[in-house]
Amino acid sequence: MGMEGIGARVARKEDKRFITGKGRYTDDMVAPGMKHAHFVRSPHAHARIRGIDSAAAEKMPGVIAVLAGDELAADAIGSLICGWMIHSKDGSPMNMGDWRPLAQTKVRYVGDAVAIVVADTKAQARDAAEAVEVDYDVLPAVTGSIDALKDGAPQIHDNAPGNLIYDWEIGDGAATDAAIASAAHVTEMKIINNRLVPNPMEPRAALGVYDEGEDHYTLWTTSQNPHVARLVMSAFYNVAPENKLRVIAPDVGGGFGSKIYIYPEEIVCLWASKKTGVPVKWNCDRTEAFLTDAHGRDHVSTVKMAFDASNRIIGLKVDTIANLGAYMSLFSSAVPTYLYATLLSGQYAIPAIHANVRTVYTNTVPVDAYRGAGRPEATYLLERVMETAARELGVSPAELRKTNFIREFPHQTPVIMCYDAGDYEASLNAAMAVSDYAGFAARKAEAQSRGKRRGIGMSCYIEACGIAPSAAVGSLGAGVGLWESAEVRVNAVGTIEVLTGSHSHGQGHETTFAQLVAERFGVGIDTVSIVHGDTDKVQMGMGTYGSRSGAVGMSAVVKALDKVEAKARKIAAHLMEADESDIVIENGELKVAGTDKSVPWFQMALAAYTAHNLPAGMEPGLKEGAFFDPANFTFPAGCYICEVEVDPETGKTEIIQFVASDDFGKIINPMIVEGQVHGGVAQGIGQAMLEAAHYDPETGQLLTASYMDYTMPRADDLPSFQVSTTETACPSNPLGIKGCGEAGAIGSPPALINAITDAIGNNDLTMPATAERVWAALRSAR
Amino acid sequence: MVSVSMTVNGRTVSGQCEDRTLLVQFIRENLGLTGTHVGCDTSQCGACVVHVDGKAVKSCTMLAAQADGSEVLTIEGLASGGELHPVQAAFRANHGLQCGFCTPGMIMSAVDMINRHGGKLDEKTVRAELEGNICRCTGYHNIVKAILDAASTMGDGTRVAAQ
């Protein structure tokens, strides 16, 4: 490892612009002649639209246009799609209801877009939007998934009887039932995974610019995957063909999944720019974000885990109902199926697993992937059950896990996944050592003497990252391939540009991707620029989610670097009249091993472009591209331990320590990886203790639609974290990377709830474990 | 419409805006200083923190007209002569930012915090003082570290160093 190579704790290149106020986010963009948009949104959770009268609004100051769904439909703009086909267990395809970018006949959640107002200023657009008269015939609404499946529930989409989207299963039901029937012990639980709002700090925004002279569109947008946005808007939404549509995702202020999807506003701003002849910018209020950004989680499950007499798990049966909201968002169908149920084996050797998943429509905003996407739900369910089973069986939580750990790899689970590498006991032992698990009893006694209740809880998670290989996800219903592309351009002066289809919205790619080049060629990272987020610059890419930038995106860069290196070696060997196999590249020079002959990197690059003296038949220039499609998912895993102290008088929980021990495989920049874990753990603690989206069950109004009502984790809610790593290399990509973006949010909620339930002596506790809920659970345990 | 005039980052500026224009809108839209961000509608998130007459203020809680005649410092004016302010340098050195959106407000709040407490900050105080700034990326771990680092660098001479 060099000073800036793989494994170096390099400060980030991109920081300078962010700490000096020079970051460039979508809402900072200004186009000549730009006007401002505000959306007219449904105030009702479920209603028929009888009519829209925009006459008064159109006469308001500054108003350029008020456009509604009929005009959008007349221009043949398509409906929003879900890109992952799931079939029910009876073989029928999922029931995808029609989602118009601007609702025409019916609105299905509070916030459903009905019309767009374009005006000179944002304030004028907002004023005029209030003057648009929409005549609604209000219908009964349903917001909870259990209620939506009941007889007589309001019917949300005509083609989804009983609001059922699909009824899907995985695993061997008969074998699992037999295991449960023969078990020495069965632990049964009902598990609720609370609904969350992702809340990246930058609200969504879009700037659509139509160029009439070129019949060309440009969209600036807050996206995690601009190329997918272009593909979908071109192939399905009929906005423009790909060669006439440029999508740019500049600096993006966090995503956490919520900026994967192509939302109605982006489509409508582009279309409205053509309709009005002016660039149209929309940016989202925070309340609008709460109402319209895709939410996460919202599962209700029952689970039975069966053990034999030696405490080995012999079967696991899960029944889950997942709320997908009013429409099927882009990847929504995959989250409670292939990103959830395929992880139900956890870190354990379980011979028989069966999971049944029903997804339902409700009158709530669509639910899709949020940091972890299905894997937090699987981990929470499993790790709550494991800790509970340990208590019921009277064995230590660590011992029960060790008894059941998978220890040989590759390991084929009964639910599709084949784990390629790991050492789960190493992570567990490391976390127990850092947390001084052995000393807990003494700390508990000390707390007791002060009238406080101490508890400790653990969680051993596994996740699947990379979301590839393409052929595998295709066979499971994915509408796209999930490879990644890269291009490495060596300029004539030796500086290097790396173009990647991955997108950075906080992950630090401009630094870590440059570290790959520094490692390979010994050049400084300041001579390397990372280019991403613009469909005119980068040919194609699948974007960043599922912790895939390292495992898949960087691997594509490595493949391109291989090709650049091969050509560079040929050029250097030719220049020095040496054998290609004797060339070594280090410290920015190409040397002939065992001699004092060398050519500086820049000189080799210049030779490639002057082309005065290249090997016979070689093309000039030095630029190579590559696509990488992995052999398997990657499987990060780890152990989290949380220790809490509960005040029995108030129910307030203080996190005394939070210990994370993760196996992410090879790590490029430990500083950045630790930062990812910190942020993930904070979101997981938020889910477990603070956050929940609450809809009023009668009216369907979102009651938690601002930072005054939805509890975002603040600095004084959290401790500093103790983060460390163990390492088993991932065999499925050239760098051995597993991915680290989601682990914190996946592993932490069960650790915290296991700790609180241990402290209060009552296992019946639902997330978020607010002081009120903890106090009530403590009282009922007495 | 109202005429406002103020000093922003040492430069006298004036402009016309609607009466209801917030200071943050004036800064972003009239002056084109887009480093100050808007992350919520309810003055909770702190992405818009600037200094008005030497005090940290959420620029979404104040009308531009109310800042008439004031001295305003935004994130763009914090570094001087190409040299990063110690708080800016500490955020970079300690990886106190990821997506960068909350960062300008965090840094402006941190400068104000260190000015008020000098080098006597501890973790508990920093966490309590950050109540008005929300970050979704970092879990605050490295932000707290960065502020403590900057406070110790700036020491007791903080008020002078910051000005």
Side-chain angles (χ1 to χ4, degrees):
Chain A
M1 161 182 110
M3 293 285 286
E4 298 181 329
I6 291 174
R9 203 172 267 276
V10 183
R12 298 201 315 174
K13 293 179 63 183
E14 48 269 77
D15 283 354
K16 189 184 172 194
R17 66 177 187 272
F18 295 129
I19 58 180
T20 55
K22 299 294 195 298
R24 295 275 279 156
Y25 301 87
T26 298
D27 190 39
D28 301 337
M29 301 300 165
V30 176
M34 182 178 88
K35 304 299 180 188
H36 299 268
H38 192 86
F39 282 86
V40 177
R41 299 190 180 279
S42 171
H44 304 294
H46 199 194
R48 282 188 201 290
I49 300 173
R50 288 204 197 100
I52 300 173
D53 181 357
S54 57
E58 282 164 5
K59 295 188 192 106
M60 303 265 292
V63 172
I64 290 156
V66 180
L67 303 169
D70 289 350
E71 286 169 275
L72 189 94
D75 285 347
I77 299 295
S79 294
L80 281 84
I81 57 146
C82 176
W84 196 305
M85 172 55 73
I86 300 289
H87 288 86
S88 285
K89 55 195 177 192
D90 66 6
S92 60
M94 62 190 189
N95 297 320
M96 185 160 63
D98 193 30
W99 184 6
R100 295 297 303 158
L102 294 173
Q104 286 170 267
T105 56
K106 204 176 172 194
V107 288
R108 294 180 173 88
Y109 69 97
V110 173
D112 213 347
V114 173
I116 181 175
V117 178
V118 181
D120 287 340
T121 71
K122 192 170 157 55
Q124 288 170 334
R126 180 190 292 265
D127 289 345
E130 286 178 12
V132 174
E133 294 280 346
V134 184
D135 185 8
Y136 291 107
D137 174 16
V138 179
L139 301 169
V142 61
T143 61
S145 57
I146 307 289
D147 289 341
L149 285 176
K150 285 179 182 162
D151 287 342
Q155 178 71 34
I156 297 169
H157 289 277
D158 293 343
N159 64 334
N163 299 316
L164 184 71
I165 300 171
Y166 54 74
D167 182 355
W168 173 91
E169 68 177 344
I170 189 170
D172 187 335
T176 307
D177 288 341
I180 290 169
S182 71
H185 179 82
V186 178
T187 295
E188 288 189 57
M189 292 183 81
K190 179 180 177 185
I191 301 276
I192 295 173
N193 205 288
N194 45 326
R195 184 179 179 117
L196 303 174
V197 186
N199 271 306
M201 292 314 297
E202 179 205 24
R204 287 191 294 119
L207 168 58
V209 183
Y210 176 67
D211 176 347
E212 191 180 0
E214 300 289 336
D215 195 24
H216 179 277
Y217 295 82
T218 302
L219 175 69
W220 300 79
T221 182
T222 48
S223 174
Q224 297 178 217
N225 47 352
H227 290 86
V228 176
R230 182 172 77 153
L231 170 69
V232 172
M233 284 195 285
S234 176
F236 297 101
Y237 304 156
N238 200 29
V239 174
E242 277 180 297
N243 64 321
K244 293 292 186 182
L245 175 59
R246 177 183 186 185
V247 179
I248 303 169
D251 286 332
V252 173
F256 314 115
S258 70
K259 292 174 181 169
I260 296 172
Y261 327 114
I262 294 83
Y263 288 89
E265 294 86 1
E266 296 159 7
I267 303 163
V268 174
C269 281
L270 279 171
W271 169 74
S273 178
K274 183 175 185 180
K275 285 299 264 194
T276 58
V278 292
V280 175
K281 188 207 265 184
W282 166 77
N283 84 305
C284 191
D285 297 338
R286 180 56 60 184
T287 289
E288 207 176 3
F290 273 102
L291 291 174
T292 65
D293 287 6
H295 288 184
R297 320 284 193 252
D298 205 344
H299 284 198
V300 179
S301 301
T302 56
V303 53
K304 288 181 188 174
M305 185 181 273
F307 294 86
D308 68 13
S310 53
N311 295 338
R312 287 184 186 278
I313 308 167
I314 54 172
L316 178 75
K317 194 169 180 74
V318 177
D319 183 78
T320 294
I321 300 173
N323 187 344
L324 293 194
Y327 303 102
M328 295 190 75
S329 177
L330 194 64
F331 290 118
S332 59
S333 57
V335 175
T337 50
Y338 293 113
L339 296 180
Y340 163 70
T342 56
L343 275 304
L344 284 171
S345 198
Q347 298 186 353
Y348 313 114
I350 305 179
I353 299 176
H354 180 259
N356 196 94
V357 178
R358 285 171 288 169
T359 52
V360 300
Y361 286 117
T362 60
N363 294 113
T364 63
V365 71
V367 177
D368 206 326
Y370 164 57
R371 201 170 193 166
R375 293 150 289 172
E377 294 92 318
T379 300
Y380 183 69
L381 178 138
L382 268 182
E383 292 305 290
R384 284 288 289 127
V385 175
M386 284 301 278
E387 200 93 351
T388 301
R391 291 172 191 166
E392 290 176 355
L393 293 165
V395 297
S396 83
E399 277 313 308
L400 186 63
R401 287 174 169 94
K402 285 181 184 178
T403 301
N404 287 284
F405 276 155
I406 293 161
R407 293 170 190 278
E408 285 176 20
F409 298 90
H411 174 87
Q412 178 63 53
T413 73
V415 279
I416 297 179
M417 292 299 181
C418 183
Y419 301 166
D420 51 9
D423 183 345
Y424 307 137
E425 190 158 342
S427 297
L428 177 75
N429 289 340
M432 288 181 76
V434 173
S435 64
D436 184 23
Y437 202 96
F440 173 71
R443 298 195 294 278
K444 184 181 170 103
E446 187 280 328
Q448 194 83 46
S449 72
R450 290 182 283 107
K452 300 286 167 64
R453 302 285 196 93
R454 278 239 175 172
I456 196 163
M458 67 167 54
S459 151
C460 296
Y461 76 89
I462 191 163
E463 58 161 328
C465 291
I467 324 290
S470 298
V473 296
S475 74
L476 301 178
V480 290
L482 289 168
W483 41 264
E484 195 45 85
S485 83
E487 187 177 315
V488 175
R489 296 178 183 167
V490 181
N491 298 317
V493 292
T495 57
I496 296 172
E497 279 141 16
V498 176
L499 289 76
T500 171
S502 297
H503 185 275
S504 182
H505 28 280
Q507 295 89 341
H509 296 170
E510 289 169 44
T511 305
T512 51
F513 281 48
Q515 286 181 256
L516 299 182
V517 183
E519 175 78 17
R520 183 68 72 100
F521 300 137
V523 297
I525 58 171
D526 286 343
T527 66
V528 182
S529 294
I530 308 302
V531 178
H532 69 95
D534 184 340
T535 60
D536 261 14
K537 293 178 180 169
V538 180
Q539 185 232 339
M540 189 54 177
M542 298 314 295
T544 290
Y545 39 83
S547 305
R548 65 195 309 276
S549 293
V552 191
M554 281 184 172
S555 296
V557 174
V558 166
K559 278 188 72 181
L561 287 172
D562 289 344
K563 296 181 191 176
V564 167
E565 182 181 332
K567 188 167 179 183
R569 283 172 176 280
K570 283 193 173 70
I571 295 169
H574 179 75
L575 292 175
M576 294 186 282
E577 297 177 337
D579 194 275
E580 199 186 314
S581 62
D582 289 336
I583 302 292
V584 288
I585 307 179
E586 55 186 28
N587 299 325
E589 288 187 322
L590 299 102
K591 299 174 181 170
V592 182
T595 74
D596 58 359
K597 283 194 196 171
S598 70
V599 175
W601 174 262
F602 75 88
Q603 200 173 317
M604 178 280 304
L606 190 62
Y609 285 90
T610 59
H612 296 162
N613 181 21
L614 290 176
M618 179 182 275
E619 287 180 16
L622 190 51
K623 181 192 83 163
E624 301 287 350
F627 286 67
F628 179 74
D629 200 348
N632 194 355
F633 285 79
T634 68
F635 297 97
C639 177
Y640 290 179
I641 293 177
C642 180
E643 185 169 331
V644 300
E645 198 168 287
V646 174
D647 182 339
E649 299 304 316
T650 62
K652 185 165 169 51
T653 300
E654 184 188 353
I655 299 171
I656 303 296
Q657 61 166 343
F658 198 101
V659 174
S661 173
D662 296 286
D663 178 0
F664 296 136
K666 194 80 179 169
I667 287 171
I668 307 300
N669 185 329
M671 178 193 81
I672 284 176
V673 167
E674 288 161 13
Q676 288 291 314
V677 177
H678 297 157
V681 169
Q683 289 182 4
I685 290 174
Q687 162 157 37
M689 214 164 72
L690 303 165
E691 300 179 39
H694 288 291
Y695 279 91
D696 180 89
E698 297 296 317
T699 63
Q701 296 292 331
L702 181 61
L703 303 177
T704 48
S706 81
Y707 288 155
M708 301 177 75
D709 310 297
Y710 184 94
T711 317
M712 290 285 279
R714 313 272 177 139
D716 57 358
D717 294 314
L718 301 170
S720 285
F721 310 112
Q722 297 170 75
V723 171
S724 63
T725 54
T726 59
E727 182 181 318
T728 59
C730 172
S732 304
N733 60 68
L735 289 163
I737 290 178
K738 296 186 181 183
C740 66
E742 297 157 291
I746 293 169
S748 54
L752 178 54
I753 297 298
N754 288 339
I756 298 176
T757 53
D758 179 48
I760 64 176
N762 184 352
N763 203 35
D764 187 13
L765 186 65
T766 305
M767 297 192 291
T770 58
E772 183 197 3
R773 282 186 179 166
V774 171
W775 182 83
L778 225 166
R779 304 274 302 176
S780 65
R782 275 178 184 165
Chain B
M1 298 293 273
V2 60
S3 293
V4 294
S5 171
M6 61 187 86
T7 306
V8 178
N9 301 332
R11 200 165 59 89
T12 305
V13 296
S14 53
Q16 294 271 319
C17 58
E18 276 194 283
D19 297 3
R20 59 180 166 178
T21 304
L22 300 170
L23 177 58
V24 65
Q25 292 169 325
F26 185 78
I27 290 169
R28 286 181 55 83
E29 290 158 29
N30 291 53
L31 305 181
L33 294 171
T34 56
T36 302
H37 296 148
V38 180
C40 72
D41 328 321
T42 51
S43 294
Q44 309 283 306
C45 80
C48 67
V49 170
V50 299
H51 293 184
V52 178
D53 297 328
K55 285 186 177 171
V57 166
K58 287 180 175 170
S59 58
C60 72
T61 57
M62 178 170 190
L63 297 169
Q66 288 175 294
D68 190 48
S70 294
E71 290 221 13
V72 176
L73 180 70
T74 73
I75 187 71
E76 288 92 342
L78 193 60
S80 62
E83 183 120 345
L84 293 177
H85 185 281
V87 174
Q88 291 172 312
F91 267 67
R92 177 160 196 259
N94 292 282
H95 190 33
L97 64 150
Q98 290 181 26
C99 81
F101 196 79
C102 77
T103 309
M106 282 284 177
I107 289 175
M108 297 310 283
S109 288
V111 170
D112 179 72
M113 189 192 308
I114 297 169
N115 280 345
R116 286 183 287 106
H117 291 271
K120 299 181 187 68
L121 279 169
D122 56 28
E123 176 171 348
K124 197 167 183 338
T125 309
V126 172
R127 287 185 179 275
E129 288 267 346
L130 282 178
E131 165 68 19
N133 291 79
I134 303 178
C135 169
R136 192 56 151 171
C137 295
T138 65
Y140 305 98
H141 182 108
N142 286 338
I143 290 176
V144 173
K145 217 167 123 191
I147 295 172
L148 290 171
D149 183 18
S152 72
T153 307
M154 290 162 70
D156 291 335
T158 45
R159 186 165 285 277
V160 179
Q163 289 167 356

